Amino acid sequence: MTDDALERWKRLRNDGSGDGFTEVPSLPSVIETGYGPIRYALGPQGQPRLLIPCAPATTHPEIKPAARLSVTLTQFSVSGRPVRFIDVTCLDRTLDRVFAELAGDILNRVRDGGVPGAAVTGAIRDFRDLLENIAPEEIAESVIMGLLGELMMMERLAGFSRRAANCWTGPYEQRHDFRQDLSAIEVKTSGRSDKTTVSINGADQLAAPAGGRLVLVHYRVERTSEGPLSISSVCARLRQSGVDTEVLTAGLEQLGCSEPDGEAWNRVTFSPEGFAAYNVGAGFPRIVSSAFEQGRIPDGIKSLKYDVDLQHAETWRLSSEEFERFLSGMTS
């Protein structure tokens, strides 16, 4: 079962599509809980993830927090109906095989009649030593910088509404980093003051919500000793702003940042160097599914990544006043 789990996650990383039954790419296991099959999925950075369908009234499992494991309650649409899941994600890719063994144990417990919550808590209790007693790898600077940009965007949204954290969809593998009704924001962060290109992943990342509007935000920061921008400092300001700290914490944990004030996530700090926002619409330099025949990427193309030079997007750049109006409308 361990090799089967690893193979399912590998397949999801390669094609990024899954079977199409859930909002996020996932593949079913052969084990049912009574609310549907347990599903293999991926975290935002490709971490192995297990979705265990459970009763609508299920409460969060009583599990001692683990630095390398995220356990949350999530709801996704499955074939058009809402389903509640216990969402278990491994936050450390060096533990992929150990997590596959944990996933196998959860599946076995459910197969043998265990209810979802008890199966998860029991398996994690038995595997805790393996999950915790391995030296962590250093968090990549690019990962820290990417999270920093999203938190800075949330801070700006918090100036308009305390519900800013509730708009944060990036941690949950949604198409865009922030979404509220028909308005969406995609955030890119560059580590050089003169950087004008941003990397785009997939043919839908720069596609606006149907009938809605998408804005691309580009932060430019520079690594600086004892700089004013860090994961810890921005999180502290967000808590002071009155955003929902439970929603903020859940999103951070989903991204593997269970200790936003810890040394690992604050080993580098930055200074702000620039900011720009762009209205992404017709004519903006991008590749989207609608540009292809039949509105989808041709068969045989497993993934699509490209760079956009924002020097060619000046026509779509928003003024400060235009961007402020967009944020106000998004949060109203």
Side-chain angles (χ1 to χ4, degrees), residues 8 195-196 214 236 324:
R8 298 294 184 93
K195 183 84 169 181
T196 63
L214 171 65
E324 295 289 307

Side-chain angles (χ1 to χ4, degrees), residues 57-331:
T58 298
T59 57
H60 194 290
E62 295 182 2
I63 298 172
K64 179 182 176 182
R68 305 187 190 183
L69 199 67
S70 168
V71 182
T72 61
L73 286 175
T74 309
Q75 181 169 289
F76 291 121
S77 175
V78 179
S79 299
R81 64 182 181 87
V83 176
R84 197 171 181 84
F85 293 90
I86 301 174
D87 186 342
V88 186
T89 304
C90 181
L91 306 178
D92 186 342
R93 289 296 308 279
T94 65
L95 299 177
D96 278 15
R97 179 162 287 276
V98 173
F99 185 73
E101 294 175 10
L102 169 66
D105 191 39
I106 292 173
L107 267 67
N108 287 337
R109 289 170 188 255
V110 173
R111 182 197 60 198
D112 293 341
V115 297
V120 170
T121 55
I124 291 176
R125 181 184 61 243
D126 291 348
F127 274 78
R128 182 171 294 277
D129 286 344
L130 283 174
L131 291 166
E132 295 297 330
N133 295 331
I134 301 176
E137 290 186 347
E138 187 175 83
I139 299 167
E141 184 173 326
S142 60
V143 173
I144 296 173
M145 197 163 56
L147 175 56
L148 181 66
E150 293 185 31
L151 293 175
M152 289 193 293
M153 187 65 253
M154 189 191 302
E155 184 179 12
R156 193 148 183 178
L157 280 167
F160 294 88
S161 172
R162 291 185 176 182
R163 298 190 69 256
N166 302 78
C167 301
W168 192 25
T169 52
Y172 304 101
E173 294 187 331
Q174 301 300 302
R175 189 196 314 174
H176 303 119
D177 294 318
F178 293 87
R179 174 79 182 263
Q180 180 65 34
D181 297 328
L182 296 179
S183 297
I185 299 172
E186 182 64 28
V187 182
K188 298 295 181 182
T189 309
S190 299
R192 282 174 43 189
S193 61
D194 59 348
K195 183 84 169 181
T196 63
T197 60
V198 294
S199 295
I200 307 300
N201 299 302
D204 294 319
Q205 195 170 57
L206 289 187
R213 184 179 178 189
L214 171 65
V215 167
L216 173 65
V217 164
H218 183 214
Y219 283 107
R220 300 189 308 280
V221 298
E222 197 161 282
R223 182 173 175 173
T224 310
S225 178
E226 298 183 2
L229 295 176
S230 68
I231 300 298
S232 179
S233 66
V234 180
C235 282
R237 292 198 298 271
L238 281 168
R239 297 185 197 103
Q240 292 170 0
S241 73
V243 302
D244 190 323
T245 55
E246 289 189 7
V247 174
L248 172 62
T249 298
L252 289 169
E253 289 181 347
Q254 192 69 26
L255 292 172
C257 184
S258 57
E259 297 181 2
D261 296 320
E263 181 180 349
W265 283 92
N266 293 279
R267 67 180 185 82
V268 289
T269 60
F270 303 87
S271 293
E273 293 293 334
F275 168 87
Y278 302 84
N279 189 56
V280 181
F284 188 90
R286 59 179 176 163
I287 299 173
V288 290
S289 296
S290 59
F292 297 98
E293 187 177 352
Q294 298 181 340
R296 61 183 178 85
I297 298 176
D299 293 338
I301 304 299
K302 293 299 184 183
S303 63
L304 177 65
K305 295 182 180 181
Y306 63 98
D307 292 339
V308 172
D309 187 344
L310 294 174
Q311 291 185 94
H312 295 272
E314 282 299 312
T315 303
W316 293 269
R317 185 166 177 168
L318 298 174
S319 67
S320 297
E321 293 76 14
E322 289 171 328
F323 186 55
E324 295 289 307
R325 285 198 297 271
F326 170 78
L327 296 182
S328 177
M330 181 175 179
T331 55

